[in-house]
Amino acid sequence: MLQLAVTEIEKEAAAKEVEKQNYLAEHCPPLSLPGSMQELQELCKKLHAKIESVDEERYDTEVKLQKTSKELEDLSQKLFDLRGKFKRPPLRRVRMSADAMLRALLGSKHKVCMDLRANLKQVKKEDTEKEKDLRDVGDWRKNIEEKSGMEGRKKMFEAGES
């Protein structure tokens, strides 16, 4: 199976190469440089004429492309304008509870009660270790006032000795 695929790929590559050679032979004749100056000038003139014709074709196709893209853009804008002609009504604010909204949507047959707070968990506030530490530390201003001045330094020095 793989051998068949390999041979097919080789055949396709050979066919592309032959096609390329045929195209080049048809469109690009082999370059023959003439010996005299006058023949060389005539060759240059022919080449310039070919270049001008190719440039004209390229310019024409670019202009045609721009024109069709502009037409396409205009048509899509017209289509958008035709589609979007309806007026959107201004929305009014409605104050309605969730139960009333469900009754309006589902009809009066269905009795739906939607208590949003029923499904919530109750959480007890627990004292964490951080909060306890903060309470134990106390007011930081008092500690600063105690350590400020010479008495504070003396206390720190005495605490360091013992």
Side-chain angles (χ1 to χ4, degrees):
M1 191 83 133
L2 290 174
Q3 290 175 349
L4 291 174
V6 169
T7 56
E8 287 295 320
I9 290 173
E10 289 174 356
K11 286 180 185 177
E12 288 177 8
K16 283 184 183 180
E17 187 64 33
V18 169
E19 185 178 334
K20 181 179 175 182
Q21 292 298 330
N22 290 339
Y23 181 82
L24 288 176
E26 182 180 326
H27 292 285
C28 300
L31 183 62
S32 59
L33 293 176
S36 70
M37 186 65 122
Q38 190 171 5
E39 291 175 357
L40 191 59
Q41 287 177 348
E42 288 177 17
L43 179 64
C44 288
K45 287 179 183 178
K46 287 180 185 177
L47 289 175
H48 280 290
K50 283 185 179 182
I51 289 172
E52 285 180 15
S53 65
V54 169
D55 280 343
E56 287 176 6
E57 288 178 20
R58 184 181 54 84
Y59 178 76
D60 291 342
T61 54
E62 284 180 2
V63 169
K64 196 182 285 187
L65 177 67
Q66 289 175 353
K67 189 185 259 186
T68 54
S69 64
K70 181 69 174 164
E71 286 179 16
L72 183 63
E73 189 176 313
D74 291 341
L75 289 174
S76 64
Q77 183 65 35
K78 284 182 183 178
L79 182 65
F80 180 75
D81 289 344
L82 289 175
R83 249 194 247 159
K85 282 293 182 184
F86 66 92
K87 247 188 180 179
R88 291 185 179 174
L91 299 176
R92 289 178 284 150
R93 193 170 283 224
V94 177
R95 293 192 179 261
M96 190 183 281
S97 68
D99 293 331
M101 200 177 297
L102 284 173
R103 264 189 256 118
L105 289 172
L106 300 174
S108 60
K109 298 177 200 174
H110 303 286
K111 191 150 195 168
V112 177
C113 182
M114 191 171 179
D115 186 14
L116 297 175
R117 294 184 183 178
N119 295 332
L120 295 177
K121 293 180 182 177
Q122 289 186 354
V123 178
K124 293 182 181 177
K125 188 174 181 181
E126 297 178 10
D127 290 335
T128 62
E129 291 180 22
K130 290 180 184 177
E131 291 174 1
K132 288 180 185 176
D133 291 341
L134 288 176
R135 273 187 266 130
D136 293 341
V137 168
D139 193 9
W140 59 273
R141 280 174 256 140
K142 289 181 185 175
N143 291 340
I144 296 295
E145 287 172 4
E146 289 174 5
K147 291 181 180 179
S148 67
M150 289 302 289
E151 299 92 31
R153 291 200 174 112
K154 186 177 177 184
K155 287 178 187 176
M156 288 174 59
F157 183 74
E158 290 171 358
E161 286 180 353
S162 53

